[in-house]
Amino acid sequence: MPTHYIQANTNGRLHPATEPSIPPLNRGFLYGDAIYEVWRTYGGVIFAWDEHWARMRNSARALHMKLEFTPEGILNEIRRTVAAYRSEVPGAGELYIRFQVTRGAGAIGLDIALADACDYVLMVQPCPLLTPAVQQSGLSLSVVRELRRNPAQSLDPSWKTGNYLNNLLCLREVRARGADDGIILNLAGEVTEASVSNIAFVRGRKIVTPPLSAGILEGITRSLVIRGVADSAGLEVSEETIRPSDFPAMQECFLLSTTKDIVPVGKVDEISYKVGPGTVASRLKASFASFAALYSKSHPELSI
Ligand code: PMP
């Protein structure tokens, strides 16, 4: 049970997220037959609205799932869900908005023809903040040893589906030896990403990050950094194949994700990386914050 209040909205019905919602025959529950997106707010404005919708449409297309709603309709439902959340938790700061879509329910069986219509569940809670310890020392990562990232030829990691078993089991392994998160390799032994974040390193003054062809989710944060945020910080990004044998030649490491934007990594197994003031990651994080502030200012229609 969550220890803090999470507001849910199932197909337009508002309820606490601890209460029952979708039926047992729901295909998201039975087979992971689902897709999702997570937005966060900066200054009370939903960030990167269109980018997340574009990725959701790609995921839906890949799964042959017909989306039955519009961004305008869902924005309206997000507003209702956020209003309900705020009436339960007054004074909440930046928000996390999860939009989980399933193929619906039907008789038991894998055939997608058995599904009725798409279901959605929205969930709103506070956006998790970086703890002072992580800001100061960075995360501790460990390379996953027992499992590899599922290859694009089977379940493509670029689809943001409701099936996170690969990621979840990778995280379990590294948590068991005390790490915060894992670096997952592909079948060729190349770095892909962490359990719910993209990864980048700093070599010299350059940011290096695995290419999409390594088999990763095309993170919105990663894309924004590559398409402009790095440039505004005077930094260069290169998409390169990275192997664990390259780690000693790197000076910094960081993770990228919607909820946490740029998070410093202080340690990967026995290797330590620079964290804190004066690092490339801190410069990039500041540049990302300026970009997000500008986005919020220029999108008053996404204020919630
Ligand atoms: N990789 C994986 C596997 C993820 O789950 C996520 C977060 N959903 C990311 C990367 C980061 O993506 P984004 O920047 O769009 O949050």
Side-chain angles (χ1 to χ4, degrees), residues 55 160 164 167 193 195-198 217 219-221 257-258:
R55 189 169 62 189
K160 199 162 168 61
Y164 261 59
N167 315 47
E193 55 191 338
S195 62
V196 285
S197 312
N198 291 119
L217 185 74
I220 308 292
T221 319
S257 82
T258 292

Side-chain angles (χ1 to χ4, degrees), residues 207-223:
I207 297 167
V208 287
T209 192
L212 298 179
S213 58
I216 60 175
L217 185 74
E218 185 170 6
I220 308 292
T221 319
R222 174 187 180 280
S223 296

